[in-house]
Structure formats: structure tokens, C-alpha cells
Amino acid sequence: MKPETLPARTVSPTRSFMTLVLIELWERFGYYGMQALIVYYMVQRLGFNDERANLVWSAAAALIYVAPAIGGWIGDKVLGTKRTAVLGAMILTVGYALMAVPTENTWFLFCALGVVVVGNGLFKPNNANLVRKNYEGDDSKIDSAFTIYYMSVNVGSTFSMLATPWIKDYVNATYGGELGWHVAFAVCSVGLVLGLFNVALMRHTIHHLGSPPDRAPLDYGKLAMVLGGGVIVAGASAVILEYQALARAFVYIAGIVVLGIFVHLIRKSAASERSGLIAALVLTLQTVFFFIFYQQMSTSLSLFALRNVDLDFSLFGMHLFDWAPAQFQALNAIWIMVLSPVLAWIYTKAGKSGKDLSIAAKFALGFSVVAVGFFIYGVAGQFAVGGKTSSWIMIWGYGFYSLGELLVSGLGLAMIARYVPERMSGFMMGAYYVGTGISQYLGGVVANYASVPQNLVDPMQTLPIYTSLFNKLGIGAVACTLLALAVLPLLRKLTAVHQSHS
């Protein structure tokens, strides 16, 4: 392959951004289409109990988010940011295709999830890093761009989380044999194929973006090493998913190692960089707390929808439609699509007038509305008939929960882009995702406080188990709000020092 020459920018940032947004949209279509079904698949198809299903998926989610720490470095130093993102999308296509194979063998499922771990690790930090490079030097545009970028995640996930449960039910009802699960997973793979096709068509719009290795000829020896390492990581991931003690040890060790590297980089960095890195560390730790709440969507909230939510949507006594339990996860994405443009507009307008809230203040506000969301779930029992609560409880709970997500998680990538020097951006994007991964696993541990025994099927008995957990999570989110407010003065000082050196 000939070296890529990266000419002076001749493509508008908006066109480049749209190419990156579209591949992200299709990648998330695949991921969330799979996520909508995976816990149900383990409980209903493979016969796992709640506790095992929650922990297996949470461990997989942790690995999926930890892997970008390595993927970011590969993009920065080995293959190139752009090449690594495309390679990751290709591997994800294979991972979802493996899940489409009709088998009940748990090792096969764990190996397929291992391939997804590798693909996500290569794709996730590098595509986000290309967005950062596209808007480098313009903080207000970075906040706005990453909010819209985050919305693209939810465009893809909305369609897939509505589609895959319906496809699963339709194929199972029409053809039997539980084939619907695997057809739905195949659709996730097709989404990645469409995303890669789009990148091939629009590659000229991102021709000027990339890291130094993108400018050199592709080193096939390094590519072979990356692929060989990917095979090892996929196999190791399967083993970790099978043995929960190993999963727990891995996640905690990963957290200690990344925290140690973070502290080392802060100590060794120039004085002009140190304040920004410390601010990024504090905000990353806050993000870890947020994703414990986020993981409930695919674990405790998902099983709550299965057992204790009336699937009928009615308004003023008139039936509108029914949803499958798995489709309730799409409410998160729908709300984010509604709220993202509004927040992006507010950020841009506030930035122009000099009245924009700091990222730290937005984090504190985000935790407070997450608390409201979980308290809404917590009062579900007051609106229950025969142990089944109204579907509208889910709508409004997800509304507040999603606004909080936009204010915290939606700005997490923008925080890295704003505070971290370019030479460390790939690793720091990865470190951010490691923090996310650790909290995904912890979220599964928390979800198991509402683990329902397999022989307990009465909704009247399962309802208080779930509402008790949701109220405790609401209290936890209030505590996180108070902590975020407590560190605001420190973060204001660090940000001022960082900006004085910029």
C-alpha cells in the first residue's frame, strides 16, 4: 500500500464529521442491537440465572470498554488512527456474524463476544480521536460536535433496539427453532457492512485526518502482529467470561494499572500540561460512577421490563401499541435524539455569550437528573396493577436518566479532547473507556442486588425487589451530585491554569 499523504485541508470539517458520524452510527447499530437481546438470550435461551447473566454481560461490557486502552495506542503509534478504526469495524462485523451461528454452546458465544471485544477496542477510541482531530483548537465546537456525535450513537441504537427484538419474535413465531435470536444477531453484522461501505464511498472526506503512521506505507508485519494479538485477546476474553472470579480480578487489576499510568503521566508531564491532566482524571473518576447507573439499562431495568412492566402503551384509555420488553431500552436512545440537538444549541449559544457552564458543573447537574430518573422507577409500585407497572413510568424514568447521560457521558469524550495534550490523546481516550468498563462490571454487581430466583415468577413478589434497588440507586446519584459539587472549586482552578498555558 502506498503511503497516505495528508494534504492541507480541502474538505470542510462538517463533511469530514459526517463521514465519522455515519460509521459510528452503524457501529452502534450493531452493538446496541446485540445488547438489547443478550441478557434475555442468556436467561431465556441458554437457561442462565439472573446473577450469571448479569455478571457475564457486565464482564463482557467491561472488556469491550477496557480494550480501547490498547486500541488507542495501536492507532497512535502502530497502524494509524484511521486504519485502526476501519480494521476494528471489520472485526466487529465478524464478531456479530459469529453470534448469528445457531448454537447453544456457551463457549461459542463467549468466543464471539471475545471477537467483539477486539473489534470495539480497535474502533472506538480511534474514530472518536478522528473527531477530535477534525475540530482541534476550537473548544466550543468540540463540545457541540461531540454532543451531535453522541446523538449519532443513539440514532443507530434506536433503530437496532427496536428492530432486533421484533425480528427475533417474528422469526421465532414464523419458523420456530429459536432461530430468531440468531437472525437478529446477523442483522447487527449487516449494519457494520453498511457502515464500512459508506466509509469506502466517502473516504476522500477523511483523507487529511490521521496520526503519523497513517502517513506511512502499511507495515504488514505490524498488521500481522495486531491480528495475532487480537486472536489471543479474543480467546482470553472467552475464558474470562466463563470464570467470574477471573473476570473480577481482571477488571480490578485493569483499573489499578490504568490509574497508575495516569498518575505517572501526570507526574512526568510538563507543568503546563499537569493541571489539564489532573482535571481529566477527576472527571474520568466521576464518569466511572455514572456508568454504574448506566449499566442498569441492560441488566436490572431490562429484567424489570420483562417481569414487571405492562407492555401496553395507552393514552386516555386508548390502546396505541405494545412493545417487547427488550424494546424499552430504545427509550434511552430516543430521548437522547430528542435532547441532543437542544443541548448542542444551548452549548453553542452559551459559548458565544460567555455564559457556558463548565464541564464539571454539567457533570454535577447530570447526576442530579439521573437521581430523579431512578426515583421515578422507584415509585413504580404505586402505579402497578397485579405487579405490572405502567409503561409510562419507563418513558419518564428514561427521560431523566437520558438527560443525565448526555450531561455526563455525552461530554466525557469532549473532556478528554479539551484537557489532554494531542500526543497523549489516544491513550487517554483508551483510559476513559477503561474507567467506563470497570464501572460497567460494577454496575452488574449492583444489578444483582435485584437478582430474582429462577423459581420466582409472581410479579407481586418481584416488583418490590426491583423498586428497592432503584430507590437506593436514586440515593446514590444524589451522593454523586454532592461529590461533584464539592470538587467544583478545584476543577475551576485547574481549568483556569490549563487555559492560561493553552
Side-chain angles (χ1 to χ4, degrees):
M1 182 181 291
K2 293 181 180 179
E4 284 196 42
T5 56
L6 302 184
R9 183 190 294 267
T10 56
V11 180
S12 76
T14 302
R15 291 190 65 197
S16 304
F17 179 63
M18 285 307 300
T19 300
L20 300 171
V21 162
L22 285 171
I23 182 63
E24 179 72 17
L25 183 154
W26 284 112
E27 186 275 326
R28 293 288 88 181
F29 176 94
Y31 179 79
Y32 282 103
M34 177 270 292
Q35 179 185 284
L37 295 177
I38 190 67
V39 170
Y40 293 125
Y41 178 70
M42 288 187 281
V43 170
Q44 296 179 303
R45 173 85 164 120
L46 301 182
F48 288 16
N49 60 30
D50 282 10
E51 185 173 351
R52 188 182 183 196
N54 282 337
L55 286 180
V56 166
W57 169 238
S58 296
L63 290 167
I64 285 166
Y65 279 89
V66 165
I70 301 171
W73 176 79
I74 291 172
D76 274 355
K77 306 295 183 185
V78 182
L79 296 180
T81 307
K82 187 164 46 183
R83 286 180 184 144
T84 306
V86 172
L87 178 63
M90 291 176 176
I91 293 172
L92 282 167
T93 305
V94 175
Y96 298 131
L98 289 173
M99 295 182 71
V101 176
T103 175
E104 294 182 41
N105 186 292
T106 56
W107 276 105
F108 193 90
L109 171 65
F110 294 164
C111 287
L113 287 171
V115 175
V116 172
V117 167
V118 174
N120 191 79
L122 295 173
F123 175 83
K124 197 69 180 168
N126 290 295
N127 204 58
N129 206 10
L130 290 172
V131 174
R132 186 197 64 77
K133 291 175 184 292
N134 192 48
Y135 288 105
E136 200 155 25
D138 191 334
D139 281 354
S140 63
K141 282 234 178 126
I142 284 176
D143 276 10
S144 181
F146 271 106
T147 300
I148 296 298
Y149 183 76
Y150 201 74
M151 183 180 74
S152 75
V153 169
N154 295 279
V155 173
S157 61
T158 297
F159 286 110
S160 62
M161 286 193 289
L162 290 175
T164 56
W166 180 85
I167 291 167
K168 181 265 293 183
D169 290 341
Y170 175 80
V171 174
N172 280 347
T174 306
Y175 301 101
E178 300 292 336
L179 288 175
W181 297 99
H182 304 287
V183 173
F185 291 138
V187 170
C188 298
S189 183
V190 171
L192 267 297
V193 172
L194 292 172
L196 286 165
F197 181 70
N198 181 72
V199 167
L201 283 179
M202 301 177 68
R203 62 187 179 276
H204 65 281
T205 63
I206 56 173
H207 189 64
H208 59 283
L209 297 175
S211 58
D214 281 306
R215 300 179 176 90
L218 177 61
D219 186 324
Y220 288 98
K222 290 181 178 178
L223 176 61
M225 289 179 64
V226 169
L227 292 175
V231 171
I232 294 170
V233 169
S237 297
V239 173
I240 288 170
L241 294 179
E242 174 65 25
Y243 301 105
Q244 286 302 307
L246 191 59
R248 187 164 51 249
F250 173 83
V251 170
Y252 296 155
I253 290 169
I256 293 168
V257 168
V258 171
L259 181 62
I261 294 173
F262 222 133
V263 171
H264 174 74
L265 289 175
I266 290 171
R267 289 179 58 200
K268 296 294 183 182
S269 62
S272 58
E273 298 171 337
R274 196 166 297 142
S275 57
L277 288 170
I278 294 172
L281 174 59
V282 172
L283 292 170
T284 298
L285 291 174
Q286 289 186 29
T287 306
V288 168
F289 284 107
F290 170 79
F291 273 97
I292 292 174
F293 301 112
Y294 179 86
Q295 184 65 0
Q296 304 312 306
M297 181 175 74
S298 58
T299 52
S300 61
L301 277 171
S302 183
L303 293 170
F304 173 65
L306 177 68
R307 295 174 176 133
N308 288 105
V309 175
D310 185 349
L311 305 180
D312 167 56
F313 278 88
S314 297
L315 188 62
F316 302 119
M318 181 176 67
H319 173 73
L320 300 177
F321 53 86
D322 291 327
W323 266 8
Q327 290 178 314
F328 279 92
Q329 292 182 57
L331 288 170
N332 174 238
I334 291 169
W335 272 112
I336 283 178
M337 284 195 295
V338 171
L339 296 169
S340 289
V342 177
L343 281 183
W345 177 78
I346 290 172
Y347 294 158
T348 302
K349 188 173 178 64
K352 288 179 179 177
S353 63
K355 297 179 181 178
D356 194 17
L357 287 175
S358 67
I359 287 183
K362 291 169 185 171
F363 274 34
L365 180 60
F367 279 120
S368 68
V369 293
V370 165
V372 174
F374 275 104
F375 284 134
I376 289 174
Y377 298 133
V379 300
Q382 306 302 314
F383 301 91
V385 177
K388 299 277 188 173
T389 194
S390 168
S391 55
W392 292 99
I393 286 286
M394 300 297 282
I395 290 176
W396 292 111
Y398 265 109
F400 282 93
Y401 168 98
S402 302
L403 177 58
E405 180 183 344
L406 274 173
L407 289 164
V408 182
S409 176
L411 289 174
L413 296 176
M415 172 267 294
I416 296 292
R418 179 177 290 190
Y419 288 111
V420 173
E422 182 184 3
R423 62 189 174 82
M424 301 180 189
S425 60
F427 170 77
M428 289 303 182
M429 287 283 187
Y432 171 81
Y433 285 117
V434 170
T436 301
I438 293 165
S439 50
Q440 298 269 31
Y441 184 79
L442 293 175
V445 173
V446 169
N448 275 343
Y449 284 104
S451 181
V452 172
Q454 284 183 301
N455 61 349
L456 187 62
V457 295
D458 182 359
M460 294 293 290
Q461 293 180 281
T462 59
L463 181 62
I465 296 174
Y466 288 114
T467 54
S468 173
L469 173 64
F470 298 148
N471 280 321
K472 289 181 175 69
L473 286 166
I475 294 169
V478 169
C480 288
T481 303
L482 297 175
L483 285 171
L485 289 171
V487 299
L488 265 180
L490 170 64
L491 287 167
R492 283 198 196 101
K493 182 179 178 181
L494 291 170
T495 300
V497 174
H498 170 70
Q499 289 174 342
S500 71
H501 290 290
S502 298

